[in-house]
Amino acid sequence: MKLLITGGAGFIGSAVVRLAISRGHEVINLDALTYAGRLENVAPVADSPLYHFEQADIRNRADLDRVFAKHSPDAVMHLAAESHVDRSIDGPGDFIETNVTGTYNMLEAARSYWVGQGRPDDFRFHHISTDEVYGSLGEDGMFTEETPYDPRSPYSASKASSDHLVRAWHETYGLPVVLTNCSNNYGPYHFPEKLVPKVILNAISGKEIPVYGQGLNVRDWLYVEDHADALLCVLEKGKLGRSYNIGGENERSNIELIETICRLLDQKRPGSEPYEKLITFVTDRPGHDARYAIDPDRIRTELGWRPSVTVEEGLERTIDWYLANEDWWRPLLDREGVGTRLGHG
Ligand code: NAD
């Protein structure tokens, strides 16, 4: 397939680009290269004849029409977004423009292209979203695809809006869409302001590891390469107009996750003291959702997909990658905002 992947220079998008090319798909990576986008993330495949890059902004409809006309994709995987909850609290405007208006532009550009092609049934618009649209859980229960939306941060509200637009374009115009809502990703090439890399990099630099509240917020942790595999599975086998939740089947509280990272680092790069001693508890984020958990039944039973690693295995791979790739993360530590946010997704 020829895939138009938006946000392909970001954390998850680049994992999808790398995996899709390794499986023989042709990829057009459409990315504006904001602070979060880095072409180094796709360096392993950049020389492939299957790889093309278009620097374009999804807030600009004319750019999108040009890319569709030039490349005639078989499918769109839409990942470009402002993705960091803490940034959405500081400045929600960018989230509305990129996540809501940008998705609207992508839908309209895709619809115009699809109509122009004679409305092929096998065209797909795959919208990639988050479990944060469902709000927050108590100690029990899980998010299913039927859970009512209840977003609580500017980020999750902007993603919920984009999900509604995608469903509406399917119902109203017949655009062949699929949607996925995934849990917290972690893995290689994760921007250093996010929780897992932040903990690794603070620890090995001997800096405090700040934890919101008591660290009791629970997330389901999904290894990014498993997520990329699930996304290609849904694109190829998912039913039209349907949503699929994607989880790692690995629920951990933030403090459990951080302690696991510290223990793994104690083995891999021992310091003078256990890294856990660097943990400090700080005032909680406003509106911090208590717990997210994914019920993976639909993707498991309908599409036969399950994650391949436990969170301990995935964290070990992630830590090995950060220890071996300082030249990737070191320059990012100076980028705007990286040192000032705690990174909890
Ligand atoms: P990221 O911030 O690492 O990457 C986003 C990419 O989009 C960057 O390459 C950036 O340059 C690009 N981009 C941003 N604004 C753009 C614009 N206006 N035009 C074109 N490109 C633009 O994000 P990520 O963590 O890889 O997340 C990818 C998608 O997955 C997002 O839609 C996000 O909401 C969703 N998601 C992420 C997680 C997670 O844990 N990271 C969880 C659930 C869902």
Side-chain angles (χ1 to χ4, degrees):
M1 274 197 284
K2 194 189 260 194
L3 305 176
L4 173 58
I5 299 179
T6 72
F11 167 50
I12 301 171
S14 67
V16 180
V17 169
R18 296 189 304 270
L19 184 66
I21 288 185
S22 77
R23 292 191 181 164
H25 297 296
E26 190 170 348
V27 168
I28 303 104
N29 175 7
L30 185 161
D31 200 298
L33 299 180
T34 68
Y35 81 94
R38 283 196 92 196
L39 289 178
E40 288 88 333
N41 298 1
V42 289
V45 296
D47 292 333
S48 165
L50 296 174
Y51 177 77
H52 315 278
F53 177 64
E54 293 283 354
Q55 183 160 5
D57 194 316
I58 61 169
R59 291 171 294 187
N60 182 349
R61 170 71 193 276
D63 274 5
L64 306 182
D65 290 336
R66 176 184 60 76
V67 172
F68 273 97
K70 180 173 166 192
H71 293 283
S72 301
D74 302 315
V76 174
M77 299 180 81
H78 176 40
L79 296 102
E82 289 291 340
S83 69
H84 192 31
V85 178
D86 285 346
R87 283 183 188 257
S88 83
I89 295 168
D90 295 350
D94 288 346
F95 287 70
I96 304 304
E97 286 175 19
T98 285
N99 299 358
V100 184
T101 308
T103 299
Y104 161 72
N105 286 334
M106 280 300 299
L107 285 164
E108 279 296 80
R111 180 166 78 94
S112 155
Y113 163 75
W114 174 68
V115 169
Q117 298 280 308
R119 301 173 192 262
D121 292 340
D122 54 358
F123 180 76
R124 288 289 176 280
F125 186 101
H126 179 173
H127 179 62
I128 285 81
S129 190
T130 169
D131 62 355
E132 298 189 33
V133 298
Y134 299 123
S136 185
L137 292 166
E139 283 183 16
D140 303 317
M142 290 183 147
F143 298 134
T144 73
E145 290 80 358
E146 313 306 331
T147 301
Y149 276 27
D150 184 22
R152 295 151 50 99
S153 73
Y155 164 67
S156 54
S158 70
K159 292 297 291 187
S161 308
S162 67
D163 293 10
H164 292 321
L165 291 175
V166 173
R167 287 201 183 88
W169 260 240
H170 176 64
E171 296 295 335
T172 308
Y173 304 111
L175 190 70
V177 308
V178 284
L179 299 92
T180 48
N181 296 79
C182 69
S183 58
N184 275 43
N185 282 227
Y186 67 99
Y189 301 97
H190 206 181
F191 199 72
E193 68 184 350
K194 300 283 177 99
L195 177 63
V196 169
K198 178 140 192 134
V199 172
I200 298 170
L201 301 182
N202 275 26
I204 62 175
S205 313
K207 291 187 189 158
E208 285 184 352
I209 301 171
V211 181
Y212 277 131
Q214 292 302 305
L216 299 178
N217 307 69
V218 174
R219 303 290 182 259
D220 173 19
W221 293 92
L222 173 62
Y223 188 57
V224 69
E225 291 174 8
D226 274 343
H227 185 204
D229 180 54
L231 293 178
L232 288 175
C233 172
V234 171
L235 180 73
E236 286 163 19
K237 301 201 282 184
K239 288 190 194 148
L240 274 194
R242 203 148 167 83
S243 293
Y244 294 88
N245 285 348
I246 307 173
E249 300 182 27
N250 272 282
E251 263 191 66
R252 298 285 186 282
S253 67
N254 284 340
I255 192 68
E256 283 172 327
L257 187 90
I258 291 166
E259 286 169 357
T260 305
I261 295 172
C262 289
R263 276 196 299 278
L264 286 165
L265 277 172
D266 287 337
Q267 294 158 19
K268 290 174 183 292
R269 187 176 285 189
S272 52
E273 288 193 306
Y275 288 110
E276 275 184 27
K277 295 216 163 164
L278 295 171
I279 294 173
T280 50
F281 296 96
V282 300
T283 310
D284 211 349
R285 164 202 279 166
H288 202 176
D289 292 339
R291 177 171 165 260
Y292 308 140
I294 290 269
D295 179 345
D297 186 59
R298 179 176 290 178
I299 192 166
R300 198 195 282 172
T301 53
E302 278 186 21
L303 307 184
W305 187 86
R306 290 198 72 169
S308 73
V309 294
T310 63
V311 73
E312 286 73 19
E313 290 165 337
L315 283 176
E316 188 156 2
R317 289 188 201 177
T318 306
I319 289 170
D320 288 343
W321 188 88
Y322 278 90
L323 294 181
N325 287 282
E326 183 166 346
D327 52 347
W328 181 88
W329 54 261
R330 175 73 59 192
L332 296 180
L333 298 183
D334 298 329
R335 283 205 184 179
E336 180 265 323
V338 171
T340 59
R341 295 181 177 85
L342 302 193
H344 297 226

